[in-house]
Amino acid sequence: MQTPVDPTSTAAWAELTKLHGGFTPDLKGAFASDPERAARFTFDAADLHVDLSKNFLDDEVLAALVKLADEVNIPGLREAMFTGEHINVTEDRAVLHTALRLPMAEELTVDGQDVVADVHEVLDKIYAWAEQIRSGEWKGVTGKPITTVVNIGIGGSDLGPVMVYEALKPYKTGPDARFISNIDPNDCAEKVADLDPEQTLFIVASKTFTTLETLTNARMARDWLLGKLQESGAIDGSDEQAKAAIAKHFVAVSTALDKVEAFGIDPNNAFGFWNWVGGRYSVSSAVGTAVIVAIGKENWQDFLAGMHAMDLHFRETEAERNVPLLMGLLNVWYTNFFKAESHAVLPYAQYLHRFAAYLQQLTMESNGKSVRWDGTPVTTGTGEIFWGEPGTNGQHAFYQLIHQGTKLIPADFIAVANPAHATKDGEVDVHELFLSNFFAQTAALAFGKTADEVRAEGTAEHIVPARVFAGNKPTTSIMAPALTPAVVGQLIALYEHITFVQGIVWGIDSFDQWGVELGKQLAMKIAPAVQGDEEAKKQQDASTQALIDYYLAKREK
Ligand SMILES: O=P(O)(O)OC[C@H]1O[C@](O)(CO)[C@@H](O)[C@@H]1O
């Protein structure tokens, strides 16, 4: 892997610095002086229709951003990713989530292995098994069909599947899915509380199969299942019957099939993936098994095809029309030149209510780094803070700050033309009412409201300043015909590639996550102190000791 280019040393960076120096955002003026602006800065990527025109963008900025992409070698490193070079330097791994959605007819040999054949072998295994669950052919230990699958996982082994399951609820034709992630025992307790153990199946999803939260929850789920089955007399207390019950009520998803077996799950009931799939990039791998059970093979194939369509767009489209590339570069423009700290993602689609949470791991675990892939310090700010809620809920919560606060918060608005439920309120099409908000918000953010406009409404003079909207708040509007499996796949792949683009500009390894290790290690060190070990407690700082003392004094066991 070549040494990262310092972006600040490029000619494009110097041009962007100069452009920024002379840049006074004036979206109203930009639209007034160029009737073609909306058309010129709107691009299609697969089924996504992406309007970048309400961004701080003009021809010169666009040209300089595209030049920056070339100077930091995004084209070369993008090809390195797609062809399986070890661009995850600190873990010495290929980064091949794009191979998870390659059609069967393709071939991609990486480290001597045709990964496409491997991917489709696992997919076929999952499809066949999921069909058994969906048809009721697979029976629980007492002979009843499965009505609920419970995914136990955390991070990438949870956020992706739960987001997609929620997004594709209208496509659900199979059993319900639930998701347990937090080691807070209340999560597991609540999720299983009303379930019938005879008709519940757990999917333990963990890339490494070592994650404390997931293995603890899996053990709790196993105890719950066996306890309930014994209580009802469905099984006796023998190891043999416990094993038979686990075989019918537990499967696993992991890259570590040996550890799956050690946990007590039959490796025949496990679906594998590979270390070239990063946790937060794993939703299109076997990690999506709970969703496949819920929506079925055809819908999942459409989802993968959608991702693949976006992969092709990113790999093959010229820079000036390449949506993930341009969106990633715009994020760099805002982060490094306008010093924007955060980025809102605002889906006008209730089904995408977990999208921002999913994106937080994707973007922040990927690009929240301060050293580059050669170990040297970064030369620029990195990692935006992603956040958001679906519209219109967010409008009644935090939009005030975006509209009239002092911070610049670029925002992505997402909406679809056709709702899953076309509902009317009397004569009014409620979806149209909903989307009117979507259209109104980006216009209000871009163009604001002047003091004269406020006065013209008859507002008392002393109130006028409070009712003025400065405008010039940049937004990107992403629209699609409907929230189909393909479109959800395209949205995910879009943001995966945006994340890649930013990571390359900043010179960081977007595919490792060493920053989450320290907390994990410390939690294990502190555990004995929390359990009452005085010596272990003394190793802690004064504040932590006092907090543990408070806990020990208050805890009723
Ligand atoms: O799938 P695993 O190995 O249980 O890991 C879960 C998550 O933990 C992390 O390693 C750290 O948070 C994530 O990257 C990953 O998605």
Side-chain angles (χ1 to χ4, degrees), residues 154-157 205-211 214 279-280 361 365 513 516 520:
I154 196 165
S157 301
S206 174
K207 178 177 170 183
T208 55
F209 231 76
T210 57
T211 304
T214 299
R280 54 198 173 275
Q361 188 201 13
E365 196 165 87
Q513 57 285 314
V516 293
K520 284 191 201 171

Side-chain angles (χ1 to χ4, degrees), residues 141-142 225-227 229-238 241-242 245:
V141 69
T142 59
L225 179 91
L226 297 178
L229 290 174
Q230 275 182 44
E231 228 174 86
S232 66
I235 60 168
D236 61 28
S238 70
Q241 292 212 345

